[in-house]
Amino acid sequence: MHWTAVRFPRRGVGVLLVPRRGVGVLLVPRRGVGVLLVAALLGACSSPGPPDAEPLATRTVITSTSDGDRSAIVHHPARARRGAPLVVVLHGSSGSGQAMQAELGWDALAEREGVVVAYPDGIGHAWNAGRCCGRASTSSVDDVRFLDALRAQLVQTDGIDPTRVYAVGFSNGAMMTYTWACGRPGTLAGIGAVAGSLVAACPAPAPITVVAVTGTSDRNVPIEGRPDRGWPGLDDSIAPFRAAAGCPAQPAVSTTGGAEIRSWTCAGGRTVTREVIAGVAHAWPGGGSGAGTTLQPTDATGYLWSLLRPAHT
């Protein structure tokens, strides 16, 4: 029988051993003494995923890949029952999953909405999104395979709805959301890309919901792109997804709070949204205290979720 080890960042060292089917052995540290709780293994007819009565809280998940063991912080609130959606939050170059968890308000949003959130770490604090970034790119790290394996692992251990998995990211992490969607068509229901470009081949993406957010003062990943690095502009980055989703030629255009929003309502109820915020540089709009508490376009966390939430594969 195959077992997956999951470490909990609490006092002492807690290890959850989860078999491929059913619930296994949970070692919980309590004042230096290991308390052994043994749950009966489910039979061959039992369904995968955790029982509804035992949410998995916050923990670090280890995923074995061809590039070595990879880690992700996973926040599974009590309200996220079997069939909950999953949001995978991808940091930028030089960033970390822990920093994204601390700064962007996704955990608090997850508590309100009943969502599971994962914060994986890139190798060398970067993702191989194609033509960017860092050691992950130069070493040809297979980050698409890692993220796909993490998704499958959480579907199994956390009872995630596989038709409601979303990726959001900043900068290099935004690039990685595009690359994941292009590299594994049909895996994601939607992506939210903040301050990033499509820097990988994308010949045949699946129809998904896409939200692309950037600022007029972004010099790292400008709206017009970086031709010197082979990074396309904002419009070229979303073009393959508009085509795949069967979007109309002309979007609905609106302006609110300094943001110009162009939105295409496409086949199957999917949407593609292009948001440009005046005066915003290379940053996550609305990050920090209060992130995710509104649906305003200048609050990227809440805004992305409001548009991604209805989407499914």
Side-chain angles (χ1 to χ4, degrees):
M1 178 177 290
H2 175 75
W3 298 80
T4 299
V6 179
R7 297 174 177 86
F8 288 73
R10 298 290 178 88
R11 290 183 177 178
V13 179
V15 179
L16 173 64
L17 301 179
V18 182
R20 182 167 296 170
R21 302 181 66 89
V23 179
V25 180
L26 176 63
L27 299 179
V28 182
R30 183 171 299 172
R31 295 183 180 177
V33 179
V35 179
L36 180 63
L37 303 175
V38 181
L41 298 179
L42 302 182
C45 296
S46 61
S47 60
D52 284 345
E54 298 182 18
L56 297 178
T58 300
R59 67 204 197 275
T60 298
V61 169
I62 304 299
T63 303
S64 295
T65 75
S66 58
D67 297 299
D69 286 350
R70 306 289 299 272
S71 65
I73 299 169
V74 176
H75 182 66
H76 187 140
R79 290 192 62 182
R81 317 306 286 179
R82 187 187 302 277
L86 169 67
V87 178
V88 180
V89 182
L90 303 178
H91 62 76
S93 181
S94 301
S96 68
Q98 184 178 37
M100 297 293 272
Q101 182 186 30
E103 296 169 3
L104 301 186
W106 282 103
D107 279 6
L109 184 148
E111 294 287 346
R112 297 191 302 270
E113 297 283 332
V115 180
V116 177
V117 187
Y119 306 90
D121 282 318
I123 289 179
H125 300 280
W127 304 102
N128 177 18
R131 295 184 294 277
C132 187
C133 291
R135 180 163 64 90
S137 178
T138 58
S139 301
S140 299
V141 172
D142 195 343
D143 279 318
V144 169
R145 177 172 289 186
F146 161 51
L147 294 172
D148 218 34
L150 175 64
R151 171 193 177 277
Q153 185 174 348
L154 295 179
V155 167
Q156 179 73 24
T157 58
D158 290 53
I160 296 300
D161 180 351
T163 72
R164 298 189 67 204
V165 178
Y166 315 95
V168 303
F170 170 68
S171 190
N172 178 213
M175 296 172 178
M176 195 65 224
T177 68
Y178 286 125
T179 301
W180 187 5
C182 295
R184 291 290 189 276
T187 296
L188 297 171
I191 62 173
V194 177
S197 298
L198 170 60
V199 295
C202 196
I208 62 173
T209 288
V210 175
V211 190
V213 178
T214 193
T216 59
S217 298
D218 191 335
R219 297 293 175 259
N220 296 58
V221 188
I223 297 171
E224 63 273 16
R226 290 284 298 271
D228 58 318
R229 298 188 178 184
W231 299 355
L234 179 59
D235 291 322
D236 288 339
S237 293
I238 64 176
F241 299 96
R242 286 177 51 201
C247 302
Q250 298 301 319
V253 181
S254 62
T255 303
T256 178
E260 182 199 67
I261 300 167
R262 301 181 188 180
S263 182
W264 291 262
T265 300
C266 315
R270 296 176 179 88
T271 59
V272 174
T273 302
R274 173 195 190 273
E275 180 195 1
V276 177
I277 307 175
V280 169
H282 194 63
W284 183 280
S289 177
T293 58
T294 79
L295 304 181
Q296 296 302 310
T298 51
D299 178 357
T301 299
Y303 185 67
L304 290 180
W305 178 241
S306 71
L307 295 175
L308 293 174
R309 177 172 47 194
H312 58 83
T313 57

